[in-house]
Amino acid sequence: MLGAISLDLFAVLLGGAVALLPVFAKDVLHVGPAGLGLLRSAPAVGALVAAVLLARRPIGRHAGRKLLGVVTAFGVSIVVFGLSQWMWLSLLALAVSGGVDLVSVVLRQTILPLVTPDELRGRVTAVEMVFISASNELGAFESGVAAALIGAVPAVVIGGVATIVVAAAWSRLFPQLADVDRLEDLRPSPVAVS
């Protein structure tokens, strides 16, 4: 449970680039307000495509490895976005980031309730929601501070690399998460009764 919740926290905290999209639209890609609108919509388009694909072809085996893989892909897409000088590549990278983020959300929000004992499900869900809300807001703050200190491009690229490192570290720190196979085989973890 901790592995799945904290994976999202660190991936979004470190790899978020959405807060810096106005800077990229104006100073890096030189696309103006209309381009900013396209950049802002690209992750949603990617998420929509991923949702359609997941509806047609659900995740079968190796769910834990796929979760770590999509978080790695998220980091890679953020690095590509940060380094891109072309609007079409930036849009593609952001669309990929939105698509793999949706897969990550679906996997986490399926795994967590299945492994959480009934008597703790509400509390675990509340903690997860705090992590999700905090990571988005703190990630935007972190992106802004990093951009002010080292520039927008290095901040985004370093954040993407850090997300890749987190995914690799989580596969070793939380081997049970990486070993999750079929979602339908998951059962609640035992709880010590006091």
Side-chain angles (χ1 to χ4, degrees):
M1 287 187 272
L2 178 61
I5 293 173
S6 59
L7 179 64
D8 178 67
L9 170 72
F10 285 105
V12 174
L13 181 67
L14 299 171
V18 174
L20 297 178
L21 288 181
V23 175
F24 276 82
K26 181 177 182 279
D27 298 334
V28 176
L29 300 169
H30 310 288
V31 293
L36 174 60
L38 290 172
L39 291 170
R40 294 277 306 180
S41 64
V45 170
L48 179 63
V49 170
V52 170
L53 292 174
L54 275 179
R56 296 188 57 90
R57 188 169 180 201
I59 294 165
R61 308 271 328 255
H62 312 296
R65 281 189 258 159
K66 287 177 182 172
L67 174 60
L68 293 166
V70 295
V71 172
T72 301
F74 178 80
V76 170
S77 68
I78 295 302
V79 170
V80 170
F81 170 74
L83 295 173
S84 172
Q85 298 290 311
W86 302 291
M87 181 64 167
W88 67 268
L89 182 57
S90 297
L91 290 171
L92 180 63
L94 288 172
V96 169
S97 77
V100 295
D101 187 46
L102 177 109
V103 175
S104 170
V105 168
V106 167
L107 283 168
R108 277 183 304 95
Q109 291 189 348
T110 303
I111 291 170
L112 279 172
L114 291 174
V115 300
T116 303
D118 290 341
E119 59 272 20
L120 297 177
R121 193 164 292 125
R123 285 175 266 181
V124 169
T125 301
V127 168
E128 181 190 21
M129 296 313 293
V130 168
F131 272 55
I132 290 169
S133 298
S135 64
N136 288 326
E137 301 307 321
L138 291 173
F141 174 73
E142 177 275 331
S143 294
V145 169
L149 293 174
I150 60 175
V153 170
V156 169
V157 171
I158 291 169
V161 170
T163 300
I164 296 166
V165 170
V166 165
W170 258 236
S171 67
R172 297 196 190 276
L173 291 172
F174 300 98
Q176 290 177 320
L177 179 62
D179 291 341
V180 171
D181 190 20
R182 298 171 59 84
L183 295 172
E184 55 268 19
D185 294 339
L186 292 174
R187 298 290 175 262
S189 302
V191 176
V193 179
S194 53

